Protein backbone atom coordinates (compact mmCIF):
# COMPACT_ATOMS: atom_id res chain seq x y z
CA UNK A 1 0.00 0.00 0.00
CA UNK A 2 1.44 3.39 -0.97
CA UNK A 3 1.85 6.10 1.59
CA UNK A 4 -0.77 8.23 -0.16
CA UNK A 5 -3.43 5.53 -0.11
CA UNK A 6 -6.29 5.54 2.39
CA UNK A 7 -5.99 2.65 4.85
CA UNK A 8 -8.73 0.06 4.69
CA UNK A 9 -10.26 -0.74 8.10
CA UNK A 10 -11.60 -3.99 6.69
CA UNK A 11 -8.20 -5.56 6.08
CA UNK A 12 -5.31 -3.64 7.63
CA UNK A 13 -4.17 -4.36 11.22
CA UNK A 14 -5.12 -0.91 12.49
CA UNK A 15 -5.73 0.14 16.06
CA UNK A 16 -9.19 1.20 17.20
CA UNK A 17 -8.54 4.93 16.94
CA UNK A 18 -7.33 4.67 13.36
CA UNK A 19 -10.37 2.64 12.38
CA UNK A 20 -12.64 5.16 14.08
CA UNK A 21 -11.05 8.03 12.15
CA UNK A 22 -11.33 6.25 8.78
CA UNK A 23 -14.97 5.27 9.29
CA UNK A 24 -15.87 8.75 10.61
CA UNK A 25 -14.28 10.37 7.55
CA UNK A 26 -16.06 7.98 5.19
CA UNK A 27 -19.39 8.93 6.77
CA UNK A 28 -18.62 12.64 6.29
CA UNK A 29 -18.64 13.52 9.99
CA UNK A 30 -16.40 15.98 11.80
CA UNK A 31 -14.99 15.08 15.20
CA UNK A 32 -17.37 17.56 16.80
CA UNK A 33 -20.37 16.01 15.04
CA UNK A 34 -19.46 12.46 16.02
CA UNK A 35 -18.71 13.54 19.57
CA UNK A 36 -22.02 15.36 19.87
CA UNK A 37 -23.99 12.38 18.61
CA UNK A 38 -22.13 10.12 21.04
CA UNK A 39 -22.57 12.42 24.02
CA UNK A 40 -18.87 13.29 24.02
CA UNK A 41 -16.75 16.20 22.82
CA UNK A 42 -14.78 16.64 19.64
CA UNK A 43 -11.58 16.64 21.67
CA UNK A 44 -12.56 13.27 23.15
CA UNK A 45 -12.95 11.85 19.64
CA UNK A 46 -9.55 13.29 18.71
CA UNK A 47 -8.02 11.71 21.81
CA UNK A 48 -9.37 8.29 20.91
CA UNK A 49 -8.35 8.59 17.26
CA UNK A 50 -4.81 9.65 18.06
CA UNK A 51 -4.35 7.04 20.76
CA UNK A 52 -4.09 9.56 23.58
CA UNK A 53 -7.19 7.97 25.11
CA UNK A 54 -7.63 4.22 25.36
CA UNK A 55 -10.31 2.24 23.56
CA UNK A 56 -13.66 3.00 25.22
CA UNK A 57 -15.82 0.44 26.97
CA UNK A 58 -18.23 -1.80 25.07
CA UNK A 59 -21.30 0.40 25.57
CA UNK A 60 -19.50 3.38 24.00
CA UNK A 61 -18.07 1.23 21.18
CA UNK A 62 -21.58 0.00 20.38
CA UNK A 63 -22.90 3.57 20.41
CA UNK A 64 -20.17 4.66 17.98
CA UNK A 65 -20.95 1.66 15.77
CA UNK A 66 -24.61 2.69 15.78
CA UNK A 67 -23.83 6.28 14.74
CA UNK A 68 -21.42 5.18 12.02
CA UNK A 69 -23.86 2.49 10.81
CA UNK A 70 -21.15 -0.13 11.13
CA UNK A 71 -22.65 -3.35 9.82
CA UNK A 72 -20.00 -5.72 11.17
CA UNK A 73 -18.48 -4.79 14.53
CA UNK A 74 -15.08 -5.99 13.32
CA UNK A 75 -14.93 -2.99 10.99
CA UNK A 76 -14.58 -0.75 14.03
CA UNK A 77 -12.82 -2.94 16.59
CA UNK A 78 -10.55 -5.05 14.40
CA UNK A 79 -11.30 -7.96 16.72
CA UNK A 80 -11.92 -10.93 14.43
CA UNK A 81 -13.75 -12.74 17.24
CA UNK A 82 -16.48 -10.07 17.17
CA UNK A 83 -18.15 -11.11 13.94
CA UNK A 84 -21.46 -9.47 14.75
CA UNK A 85 -23.68 -7.82 12.14
CA UNK A 86 -25.30 -4.87 13.86
CA UNK A 87 -27.28 -3.17 11.12
CA UNK A 88 -27.49 -6.05 8.68
CA UNK A 89 -29.39 -9.23 9.30
CA UNK A 90 -28.08 -12.74 8.74
CA UNK A 91 -29.22 -12.94 5.12
CA UNK A 92 -32.60 -14.58 4.69
CA UNK A 93 -32.77 -17.90 2.87
CA UNK A 94 -35.23 -16.34 0.39
CA UNK A 95 -32.84 -13.50 -0.48
CA UNK A 96 -31.19 -15.23 -3.50
CA UNK A 97 -34.59 -15.87 -5.11
CA UNK A 98 -35.70 -12.28 -4.60
CA UNK A 99 -32.36 -10.96 -5.86
CA UNK A 100 -32.61 -13.11 -9.01
CA UNK A 101 -36.09 -11.73 -9.72
CA UNK A 102 -34.94 -8.13 -9.25
CA UNK A 103 -31.83 -8.64 -11.39
CA UNK A 104 -33.65 -10.38 -14.26
CA UNK A 105 -34.03 -8.39 -17.48
CA UNK A 106 -36.99 -9.89 -19.35
CA UNK A 107 -37.77 -8.32 -22.72
CA UNK A 108 -40.10 -10.73 -24.48
CA UNK A 109 -43.50 -12.21 -23.73
CA UNK A 110 -42.32 -15.49 -22.23
CA UNK A 111 -44.50 -14.72 -19.21
CA UNK A 112 -48.12 -13.84 -19.91
CA UNK A 113 -49.19 -11.07 -17.58
CA UNK A 114 -52.05 -12.02 -15.26
CA UNK A 115 -55.17 -9.84 -15.10
CA UNK A 116 -54.44 -6.62 -13.19
CA UNK A 117 -57.17 -7.41 -10.63
CA UNK A 118 -55.66 -10.84 -9.95
CA UNK A 119 -52.19 -9.37 -9.42
CA UNK A 120 -53.60 -6.65 -7.19
CA UNK A 121 -55.31 -9.27 -5.00
CA UNK A 122 -52.04 -11.20 -4.65
CA UNK A 123 -50.23 -8.01 -3.71
CA UNK A 124 -52.86 -7.22 -1.08
CA UNK A 125 -52.42 -10.71 0.40
CA UNK A 126 -48.67 -10.16 0.51
CA UNK A 127 -49.07 -6.88 2.41
CA UNK A 128 -51.48 -8.56 4.82
CA UNK A 129 -48.96 -11.34 5.42
CA UNK A 130 -46.23 -8.77 5.96
CA UNK A 131 -48.24 -7.26 8.83
CA UNK A 132 -49.73 -10.41 10.36
CA UNK A 133 -47.13 -13.18 10.09
CA UNK A 134 -44.45 -13.44 12.80
CA UNK A 135 -42.14 -14.86 10.11
CA UNK A 136 -43.14 -12.15 7.64
CA UNK A 137 -39.85 -12.19 5.72
CA UNK A 138 -40.28 -15.89 5.02
CA UNK A 139 -43.85 -15.47 3.77
CA UNK A 140 -43.22 -12.31 1.75
CA UNK A 141 -39.93 -13.64 0.39
CA UNK A 142 -41.74 -16.65 -1.06
CA UNK A 143 -44.29 -14.42 -2.81
CA UNK A 144 -42.01 -11.67 -4.12
CA UNK A 145 -40.31 -13.41 -7.10
CA UNK A 146 -43.63 -14.17 -8.75
CA UNK A 147 -45.01 -10.72 -7.97
CA UNK A 148 -41.95 -9.01 -9.46
CA UNK A 149 -42.04 -11.16 -12.59
CA UNK A 150 -45.76 -10.68 -13.18
CA UNK A 151 -45.77 -6.93 -12.42
CA UNK A 152 -42.94 -6.41 -14.90
CA UNK A 153 -44.92 -8.37 -17.51
CA UNK A 154 -48.01 -6.27 -16.79
CA UNK A 155 -46.04 -3.10 -17.61
CA UNK A 156 -44.50 -4.55 -20.78
CA UNK A 157 -47.81 -5.83 -22.11
CA UNK A 158 -49.97 -2.79 -21.28
CA UNK A 159 -51.69 -1.64 -24.47
CA UNK A 160 -52.80 1.87 -23.52
CA UNK A 161 -51.26 4.80 -21.65
CA UNK A 162 -53.85 4.47 -18.90
CA UNK A 163 -53.18 0.77 -18.39
CA UNK A 164 -49.44 1.34 -18.49
CA UNK A 165 -49.66 3.91 -15.72
CA UNK A 166 -51.80 1.56 -13.65
CA UNK A 167 -49.31 -1.25 -14.26
CA UNK A 168 -46.45 0.99 -13.13
CA UNK A 169 -48.40 1.71 -9.95
CA UNK A 170 -48.60 -2.01 -9.23
CA UNK A 171 -44.90 -2.50 -10.06
CA UNK A 172 -43.90 0.40 -7.79
CA UNK A 173 -45.91 -1.11 -4.94
CA UNK A 174 -44.26 -4.49 -5.50
CA UNK A 175 -40.86 -2.81 -5.26
CA UNK A 176 -42.00 -1.09 -2.05
CA UNK A 177 -42.87 -4.47 -0.57
CA UNK A 178 -39.52 -5.79 -1.79
CA UNK A 179 -37.71 -2.98 0.03
CA UNK A 180 -39.25 -4.08 3.31
CA UNK A 181 -37.85 -7.55 2.65
CA UNK A 182 -34.40 -6.45 1.43
CA UNK A 183 -33.78 -3.78 4.11
CA UNK A 184 -31.13 -4.66 6.71
CA UNK A 185 -29.99 -7.69 4.74
CA UNK A 186 -26.34 -8.01 3.68
CA UNK A 187 -26.75 -6.68 0.13
CA UNK A 188 -26.72 -2.88 0.07
CA UNK A 189 -26.43 -2.74 -3.73
CA UNK A 190 -29.64 -4.76 -4.09
CA UNK A 191 -31.43 -2.44 -1.69
CA UNK A 192 -30.53 0.62 -3.74
CA UNK A 193 -31.59 -1.06 -7.00
CA UNK A 194 -34.97 -1.76 -5.46
CA UNK A 195 -35.25 1.82 -4.14
CA UNK A 196 -34.37 3.40 -7.47
CA UNK A 197 -36.63 1.14 -9.53
CA UNK A 198 -39.48 1.80 -7.14
CA UNK A 199 -39.05 5.57 -7.52
CA UNK A 200 -38.95 5.34 -11.33
CA UNK A 201 -42.03 3.12 -11.51
CA UNK A 202 -43.89 5.42 -9.09
CA UNK A 203 -43.12 8.48 -11.21
CA UNK A 204 -44.32 6.66 -14.33
CA UNK A 205 -47.58 5.80 -12.56
CA UNK A 206 -48.42 9.45 -11.81
CA UNK A 207 -50.32 8.10 -8.79
CA UNK A 208 -49.88 10.43 -5.76
CA UNK A 209 -50.23 7.66 -3.21
CA UNK A 210 -47.73 5.38 -4.96
CA UNK A 211 -45.28 8.29 -5.40
CA UNK A 212 -45.59 9.14 -1.71
CA UNK A 213 -44.98 5.55 -0.63
CA UNK A 214 -41.88 5.18 -2.81
CA UNK A 215 -40.53 8.49 -1.51
CA UNK A 216 -41.22 7.49 2.11
CA UNK A 217 -39.18 4.31 1.66
CA UNK A 218 -36.41 6.08 -0.26
CA UNK A 219 -36.06 8.63 2.55
CA UNK A 220 -35.75 5.82 5.08
CA UNK A 221 -33.03 4.15 3.04
CA UNK A 222 -31.10 7.42 2.78
CA UNK A 223 -31.40 8.16 6.49
CA UNK A 224 -30.49 4.62 7.53
CA UNK A 225 -27.30 4.82 5.46
CA UNK A 226 -25.90 7.17 8.13
CA UNK A 227 -25.44 10.91 8.71
CA UNK A 228 -24.17 11.46 5.17
CA UNK A 229 -27.63 10.47 3.92
CA UNK A 230 -29.64 12.88 6.08
CA UNK A 231 -29.63 15.69 3.52
CA UNK A 232 -30.79 13.37 0.74
CA UNK A 233 -33.55 12.03 2.99
CA UNK A 234 -34.76 15.58 3.66
CA UNK A 235 -34.67 16.42 -0.03
CA UNK A 236 -36.90 13.46 -0.90
CA UNK A 237 -39.44 14.18 1.84
CA UNK A 238 -39.59 17.93 1.22
CA UNK A 239 -39.98 17.58 -2.55
CA UNK A 240 -42.69 14.96 -2.18
CA UNK A 241 -44.60 16.91 0.45
CA UNK A 242 -44.51 19.97 -1.83
CA UNK A 243 -45.94 17.82 -4.64
CA UNK A 244 -48.70 16.43 -2.42
CA UNK A 245 -49.65 19.70 -0.68
CA UNK A 246 -52.12 20.99 -3.34
CA UNK A 247 -53.87 17.60 -3.34
CA UNK A 248 -54.45 17.28 0.40
CA UNK A 249 -57.67 19.32 0.83
CA UNK A 250 -59.54 16.73 -1.26
CA UNK A 251 -57.27 13.72 -0.71
CA UNK A 252 -58.50 10.28 0.27
CA UNK A 253 -57.35 8.69 3.51
CA UNK A 254 -54.42 6.83 1.94
CA UNK A 255 -52.91 9.94 0.32
CA UNK A 256 -53.47 11.95 3.50
CA UNK A 257 -51.80 9.21 5.54
CA UNK A 258 -48.74 9.01 3.31
CA UNK A 259 -48.36 12.79 3.64
CA UNK A 260 -48.52 12.37 7.42
CA UNK A 261 -45.95 9.59 7.30
CA UNK A 262 -43.60 11.77 5.22
CA UNK A 263 -44.08 14.67 7.63
CA UNK A 264 -43.05 12.47 10.51
CA UNK A 265 -40.00 11.30 8.52
CA UNK A 266 -38.70 14.87 8.45
CA UNK A 267 -38.99 14.94 12.23
CA UNK A 268 -37.30 11.56 12.53
CA UNK A 269 -34.31 12.77 10.50
CA UNK A 270 -34.15 15.98 12.53
CA UNK A 271 -34.08 13.90 15.71
CA UNK A 272 -31.18 11.87 14.30
CA UNK A 273 -29.35 15.18 13.86
CA UNK A 274 -30.13 16.16 17.44
CA UNK A 275 -32.41 19.04 16.40
CA UNK A 276 -34.90 18.90 19.26
CA UNK A 277 -37.25 21.74 18.33
CA UNK A 278 -37.45 20.79 14.66
CA UNK A 279 -38.06 17.14 15.46
CA UNK A 280 -40.97 17.80 17.80
CA UNK A 281 -42.42 20.48 15.50
CA UNK A 282 -42.69 17.97 12.66
CA UNK A 283 -44.14 15.39 15.05
CA UNK A 284 -46.82 17.95 15.98
CA UNK A 285 -47.54 18.56 12.29
CA UNK A 286 -47.81 14.81 11.63
CA UNK A 287 -50.19 14.46 14.58
CA UNK A 288 -52.39 17.19 13.07
CA UNK A 289 -52.54 15.19 9.83
CA UNK A 290 -53.35 12.00 11.75
CA UNK A 291 -56.24 13.78 13.48
CA UNK A 292 -57.92 14.15 10.07
CA UNK A 293 -58.01 10.36 9.61
CA UNK A 294 -60.83 8.10 10.87
CA UNK A 295 -60.27 6.80 14.40
CA UNK A 296 -59.74 3.16 13.40
CA UNK A 297 -57.76 3.80 10.21
CA UNK A 298 -54.26 2.38 9.67
CA UNK A 299 -52.33 3.00 6.48
CA UNK A 300 -51.89 -0.42 4.85
CA UNK A 301 -48.14 -0.04 4.26
CA UNK A 302 -46.74 2.49 6.73
CA UNK A 303 -49.20 1.93 9.63
CA UNK A 304 -49.62 5.73 9.86
CA UNK A 305 -52.68 6.52 11.95
CA UNK A 306 -53.85 8.36 15.02
CA UNK A 307 -52.75 5.45 17.18
CA UNK A 308 -49.21 5.33 15.79
CA UNK A 309 -48.37 8.86 16.93
CA UNK A 310 -47.61 7.58 20.44
CA UNK A 311 -45.05 5.17 19.00
CA UNK A 312 -43.62 7.97 16.85
CA UNK A 313 -43.22 10.13 19.98
CA UNK A 314 -41.15 7.39 21.60
CA UNK A 315 -38.93 7.25 18.51
CA UNK A 316 -38.31 11.01 18.53
CA UNK A 317 -37.43 11.02 22.23
CA UNK A 318 -35.11 8.02 21.85
CA UNK A 319 -33.30 9.49 18.85
CA UNK A 320 -32.81 12.70 20.84
CA UNK A 321 -31.37 10.54 23.68
CA UNK A 322 -33.96 11.84 26.12
CA UNK A 323 -34.22 8.87 28.48
CA UNK A 324 -36.84 10.25 30.84
CA UNK A 325 -38.99 11.60 28.02
CA UNK A 326 -38.67 8.29 26.17
CA UNK A 327 -40.04 6.41 29.19
CA UNK A 328 -42.83 8.95 29.66
CA UNK A 329 -43.87 8.58 26.04
CA UNK A 330 -43.57 4.78 26.22
CA UNK A 331 -45.87 4.75 29.24
CA UNK A 332 -48.43 6.84 27.36
CA UNK A 333 -48.26 4.80 24.13
CA UNK A 334 -50.17 1.55 23.70
CA UNK A 335 -48.40 -1.10 21.62
CA UNK A 336 -51.46 -3.36 21.60
CA UNK A 337 -53.42 -1.01 19.33
CA UNK A 338 -50.86 -1.45 16.51
CA UNK A 339 -52.24 -4.25 14.30
CA UNK A 340 -49.01 -4.83 12.35
CA UNK A 341 -46.80 -7.36 14.14
CA UNK A 342 -43.48 -6.03 12.74
CA UNK A 343 -44.52 -2.43 13.45
CA UNK A 344 -45.56 -3.39 16.99
CA UNK A 345 -42.22 -5.12 17.51
CA UNK A 346 -40.38 -2.10 16.14
CA UNK A 347 -42.24 0.11 18.63
CA UNK A 348 -41.34 -2.23 21.49
CA UNK A 349 -37.69 -2.09 20.44
CA UNK A 350 -37.89 1.72 20.57
CA UNK A 351 -39.44 1.44 24.03
CA UNK A 352 -36.56 -0.82 25.07
CA UNK A 353 -34.08 1.78 23.84
CA UNK A 354 -35.87 4.37 25.96
CA UNK A 355 -35.74 2.23 29.10
CA UNK A 356 -32.09 1.49 28.43
CA UNK A 357 -31.32 5.19 28.08
CA UNK A 358 -33.15 5.80 31.35
CA UNK A 359 -31.01 3.27 33.22
CA UNK A 360 -33.63 0.52 33.38
CA UNK A 361 -31.87 -2.41 31.65
CA UNK A 362 -34.11 -5.10 33.14
CA UNK A 363 -37.23 -3.43 31.75
CA UNK A 364 -35.42 -2.96 28.43
CA UNK A 365 -34.64 -6.67 28.17
CA UNK A 366 -38.19 -7.66 29.10
CA UNK A 367 -39.52 -5.30 26.43
CA UNK A 368 -37.17 -6.77 23.84
CA UNK A 369 -38.41 -10.24 24.75
CA UNK A 370 -41.97 -9.09 24.00
CA UNK A 371 -40.80 -7.63 20.69
CA UNK A 372 -39.21 -10.94 19.78
CA UNK A 373 -42.44 -12.74 20.64
CA UNK A 374 -44.46 -10.37 18.42
CA UNK A 375 -42.15 -10.56 15.38
CA UNK A 376 -38.95 -12.61 15.75
CA UNK A 377 -37.59 -11.62 12.33
CA UNK A 378 -38.02 -7.91 13.02
CA UNK A 379 -36.06 -8.19 16.26
CA UNK A 380 -33.36 -10.38 14.72
CA UNK A 381 -32.68 -7.79 12.02
CA UNK A 382 -32.71 -4.73 14.30
CA UNK A 383 -29.33 -3.24 15.18
CA UNK A 384 -30.61 -1.36 18.23
CA UNK A 385 -32.03 -4.53 19.76
CA UNK A 386 -28.76 -6.35 19.16
CA UNK A 387 -26.77 -3.50 20.66
CA UNK A 388 -28.74 -3.57 23.94
CA UNK A 389 -28.53 -7.36 24.22
CA UNK A 390 -24.79 -7.42 23.55
CA UNK A 391 -24.12 -4.70 26.07
CA UNK A 392 -26.14 -6.37 28.82
CA UNK A 393 -24.63 -9.78 28.07
CA UNK A 394 -21.34 -8.24 29.23
CA UNK A 395 -22.86 -6.45 32.24
CA UNK A 396 -22.14 -6.80 35.93
CA UNK A 397 -25.37 -8.43 37.08
CA UNK A 398 -25.25 -12.26 36.73
CA UNK A 399 -29.04 -12.51 36.47
CA UNK A 400 -29.17 -9.83 33.77
CA UNK A 401 -26.25 -11.39 31.90
CA UNK A 402 -28.11 -14.70 31.83
CA UNK A 403 -31.31 -13.11 30.56
CA UNK A 404 -29.43 -11.12 27.91
CA UNK A 405 -27.48 -14.20 26.84
CA UNK A 406 -30.67 -16.22 26.44
CA UNK A 407 -32.10 -13.47 24.24
CA UNK A 408 -28.81 -13.24 22.33
CA UNK A 409 -29.15 -16.93 21.43
CA UNK A 410 -32.66 -16.29 20.10
CA UNK A 411 -31.35 -13.39 18.00
CA UNK A 412 -28.54 -15.51 16.61
CA UNK A 413 -25.82 -13.45 18.28
CA UNK A 414 -24.54 -16.34 20.41
CA UNK A 415 -24.45 -20.07 19.81
CA UNK A 416 -26.92 -22.12 21.86
Amino acid sequence: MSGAATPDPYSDPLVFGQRLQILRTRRGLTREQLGGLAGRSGSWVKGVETGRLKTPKLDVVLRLAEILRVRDLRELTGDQSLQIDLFAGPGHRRLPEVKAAVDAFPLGREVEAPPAAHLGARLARAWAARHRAPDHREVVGAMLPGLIRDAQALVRQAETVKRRRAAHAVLAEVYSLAQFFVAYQPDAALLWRVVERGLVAAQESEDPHVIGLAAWLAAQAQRDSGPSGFEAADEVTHQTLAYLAPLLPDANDDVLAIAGALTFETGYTAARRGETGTAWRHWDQARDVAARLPAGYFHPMTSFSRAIMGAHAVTVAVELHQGGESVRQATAADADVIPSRPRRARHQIEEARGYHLDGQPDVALATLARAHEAAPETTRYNGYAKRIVLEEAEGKSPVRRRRASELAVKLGLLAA
Side-chain angles (χ1 to χ4, degrees), residues 389-390 393 402-415:
V389 170
L390 285 171
R402 186 179 67 253
R403 292 178 63 196
S405 297
E406 290 172 353
L407 193 50
V409 170
K410 294 180 181 179
L411 298 182
L413 298 174
L414 296 176

Side-chain angles (χ1 to χ4, degrees), residues 225-284:
S225 68
S228 60
F230 291 172
E231 186 174 343
D234 279 341
E235 183 67 16
V236 171
T237 52
H238 292 157
Q239 291 283 353
T240 310
L241 284 168
Y243 160 75
L244 292 174
L247 310 175
L248 296 184
D250 301 314
N252 62 32
D253 290 341
D254 286 350
V255 172
L256 190 62
I258 202 64
L262 283 161
T263 301
F264 172 70
E265 287 303 309
T266 60
Y268 193 162
T269 304
R272 282 274 181 93
R273 286 194 178 101
E275 298 171 351
T276 303
T278 303
W280 285 114
R281 175 167 56 84
H282 286 302
W283 181 86
D284 284 335

Side-chain angles (χ1 to χ4, degrees), residues 17-33:
Q18 291 173 305
R19 289 173 177 272
L20 178 63
Q21 182 174 7
I22 293 166
L23 291 167
R24 172 182 62 78
T25 303
R26 288 185 177 182
R27 298 298 187 269
L29 291 173
T30 65
R31 285 169 171 161
E32 287 70 24
Q33 288 171 329

